Amino acid sequence: MRRAVRVLGLAVCAAALGIAMPVSAAGTPADVQSASTVTVVPATDATVNAHAERLVAAMSTRERAASIVMGHVPTPDPAALRDYISDAGLGGFILMGANIPADEAALRAVTAALTLDPALPPLIGIDEEGDDVTRLPWDDLPGAVTLKNAEPQASAAAFAARGGLLQRAGVNVNFGVVADVPADSGSFIFRRALGTTPASAADRVTAAVQGHSGLVASTLKHFPGHGAAPGDSHHMLPTTDRSLEAWEQEDGTPFRAGIDAGADLLMFGHLVYTAVDAAPASLSPEWYRIAREDLGFDGVTITDDLGMLQNTGEPQYADPVANAVSAVAAGADMVMAVMLSDAGTAGRIVDGLAAAAESGTLSAERLDEAAARVIELRLQHSPGGMLPCADCQPAE
């Protein structure tokens, strides 16, 4: 009989992989096998992916739909937040200013309340960029206003320290790496962007992603980039006729660099590049294809807040449920609802996604793929978790 032991980080019993790897109970190689031999190996990406797929296979359609929705309600009350995320079974929650209490200890109580199962924690996200977009009152680390004029290693240091603050508080996703390249200093995104040229942005985006590595999941935003498309997507659809070829040489450069550096999530903006697709990138199958096939991104794709689409006033985007179905069908792995949402919005989106999958409007395969990617990322942020294997027995 092999006994599984708890180790730091995801691990699997070697028997599950067919590997003979005797180690002592302390985790050091053993010279002689015995009945109590402990065999533990690090979980490979393939193993974590396979476990995620097993979890998805055991879910109902509605549970799969719920796993890819990131919701929000504006309260710091742990009990209310626990009820909110458990009632709908949501896979994620975004912390906004109204969720942040006065100190780190109180924030840990908030994130603990959102974590119903430590072996499969939700994706708890936050927009912690620094400077203009700072949710934590105790985060006085430099943001893009300073970092865009400093050497790239300053970005690495700032984002490593910021990742440490978030990790300590129980946050596992930062929507903090702004990869847009605004040429116009009057752009609303200018102060938040890490660089003002494709090359300078790419260097600092790479450094920021590397700084977050091992601490929190890093997110590149707002794909495919605000730089060429003027206007604020919180209340309109910024639009450009820039060609795909020009995009690849300019706005696409820092996104490619951040992907190559290992970014975990890619946030799709509500931006229209008419030469590529008439639809906003967040709803565009072509932009999801470009991210996957041309840039090689294999992490979680997530929409920017779908409430922003609704807030444009465009009649075709008035229904947040329809927007969510369109986004997932196009290639989004996760959808987010904040602006114009209430306590029931996320649940309605879940129901809409489940109904679309059952009717065939949204393919079951697309929903399964999205759920597996999200759950795989959640597993990777399970603190000290063990993946199960067929013949491991509990240690006595």
Side-chain angles (χ1 to χ4, degrees):
M1 178 182 73
R2 289 187 170 93
R3 294 186 296 129
V5 297
R6 185 179 176 89
V7 297
L8 182 63
L10 289 174
V12 292
C13 172
L17 304 178
I19 301 172
M21 184 180 172
V23 295
S24 70
T28 56
D31 294 326
V32 180
Q33 292 195 45
S34 69
S36 62
T37 296
V38 177
T39 53
V40 178
V41 296
T44 65
D45 290 344
T47 302
V48 178
N49 177 260
H51 185 49
E53 290 180 350
R54 286 194 296 272
L55 291 177
V56 171
M59 291 178 173
S60 67
T61 300
R62 192 183 190 283
E63 288 170 334
R64 295 173 195 181
S67 74
I68 67 168
V69 175
M70 178 170 282
H72 170 77
V73 285
T75 175
D77 178 51
L81 291 170
R82 191 172 188 86
D83 289 344
Y84 171 76
I85 199 167
S86 62
D87 286 349
L90 301 180
F93 187 91
I94 180 168
L95 298 167
M96 303 296 285
N99 303 117
I100 308 299
D103 56 44
E104 183 183 277
L107 181 53
R108 282 199 296 271
V110 165
T111 56
L114 290 166
T115 305
L116 306 180
D117 179 4
L120 186 62
L123 295 182
I124 302 176
I126 193 169
D127 293 305
E128 195 68 17
E129 301 172 13
D131 294 333
D132 294 357
V133 182
T134 302
R135 309 295 187 211
L136 307 184
W138 53 93
D139 178 3
D140 59 0
L141 296 160
V145 171
T146 299
L147 297 175
K148 62 164 51 78
N149 297 310
E151 292 300 312
Q153 52 263 40
S155 293
F159 277 81
R162 183 165 286 119
L165 289 181
L166 295 175
Q167 186 186 58
R168 281 167 52 92
V171 179
N172 53 28
V173 173
N174 189 18
F175 301 123
V177 184
V178 177
D180 304 293
V181 188
D184 179 8
S185 61
S187 168
F188 89 100
I189 205 73
F190 182 83
R191 285 172 55 88
R192 297 166 55 192
L194 285 167
T196 57
T197 66
S200 67
D203 289 344
R204 287 154 186 79
V205 164
T206 296
V209 170
Q210 292 171 341
H212 269 348
S213 180
L215 296 167
V216 293
S218 57
T219 308
L220 305 176
K221 63 183 188 184
H222 307 80
F223 187 79
H226 269 290
D232 185 343
S233 56
H234 288 86
H235 54 78
M236 62 176 292
L237 289 177
T239 302
T240 178
D241 60 1
R242 178 165 292 181
S243 70
L244 180 60
E245 293 74 20
W247 174 84
E248 289 170 342
Q249 297 299 315
E250 300 175 38
D251 301 82
T253 299
F255 287 102
R256 183 183 293 276
I259 289 168
D260 290 345
D264 301 283
L265 298 98
L266 184 62
M267 180 182 286
F268 281 62
H270 308 308
L271 313 171
V272 180
Y273 279 66
T274 57
V276 177
D277 196 330
S282 54
L283 307 182
S284 165
E286 180 61 11
W287 277 115
Y288 287 99
R289 185 202 66 76
I290 289 167
R292 296 292 185 198
E293 297 180 13
D294 296 352
L295 301 188
F297 182 68
D298 60 4
V300 170
T301 54
I302 185 168
T303 66
D304 204 345
D305 175 17
L306 290 177
M308 294 161 60
L309 269 181
Q310 190 180 355
N311 197 48
T312 64
E314 301 280 349
Q316 65 267 43
Y317 305 125
D319 182 357
V321 175
N323 293 338
V325 172
S326 295
V328 176
D333 297 322
M334 197 167 211
V335 295
M336 183 195 308
V338 182
M339 185 182 288
L340 303 180
S341 68
D342 57 33
T345 300
R348 292 190 290 273
I349 289 174
V350 170
D351 290 340
L353 289 169
E358 289 171 348
S359 70
T361 304
L362 171 65
S363 77
E365 293 78 13
R366 174 80 270 275
L367 179 59
D368 290 354
E369 176 186 55
R373 284 206 189 99
V374 171
I375 288 175
E376 183 174 354
L377 185 60
R378 291 169 64 185
L379 287 170
Q380 290 167 352
H381 286 273
S382 170
M386 287 285 293
L387 296 182
C389 64
D391 63 351
C392 288
Q393 300 296 323
E396 296 179 356

